[in-house]
Amino acid sequence: MRILIVDDDAQILKALRINLAARGYEVTLARTGPEALDQAAKNRPELVVLDLGLPGLSGIQVIEGL
């Protein structure tokens, strides 16, 4: 399963990436709204873990873009 994690907090990204990858998930990371949309277009994730308060675009705008 491909998972996109979107958060501007580096510690949260690191913790989720380590834990999910250890369980066999393919993890992609994004730190901003525009980067999230770019990664989603490239990697076609099956699940998105999304922070609503992001720089660039809000999480709501990212959802609308997805």
Side-chain angles (χ1 to χ4, degrees):
M1 176 181 270
R2 293 178 310 278
I3 300 175
L4 172 60
I5 303 171
V6 187
D7 201 303
D8 57 337
D9 185 315
Q11 295 291 7
I12 291 173
L13 287 176
K14 182 179 178 180
L16 288 173
R17 179 184 50 81
I18 290 169
N19 284 295
L20 291 169
R23 287 163 177 76
Y25 295 101
E26 182 182 325
V27 179
T28 304
L29 306 176
R31 296 190 68 155
T32 66
E35 185 180 354
L37 293 175
D38 183 54
Q39 290 296 332
K42 288 179 184 174
N43 299 305
R44 308 285 297 174
E46 298 168 271
L47 175 70
V48 178
V49 178
L50 177 64
D51 179 10
L52 294 179
L54 295 169
L57 294 172
S58 73
I60 299 299
Q61 290 171 307
V62 172
I63 291 169
E64 290 170 346
L66 293 173

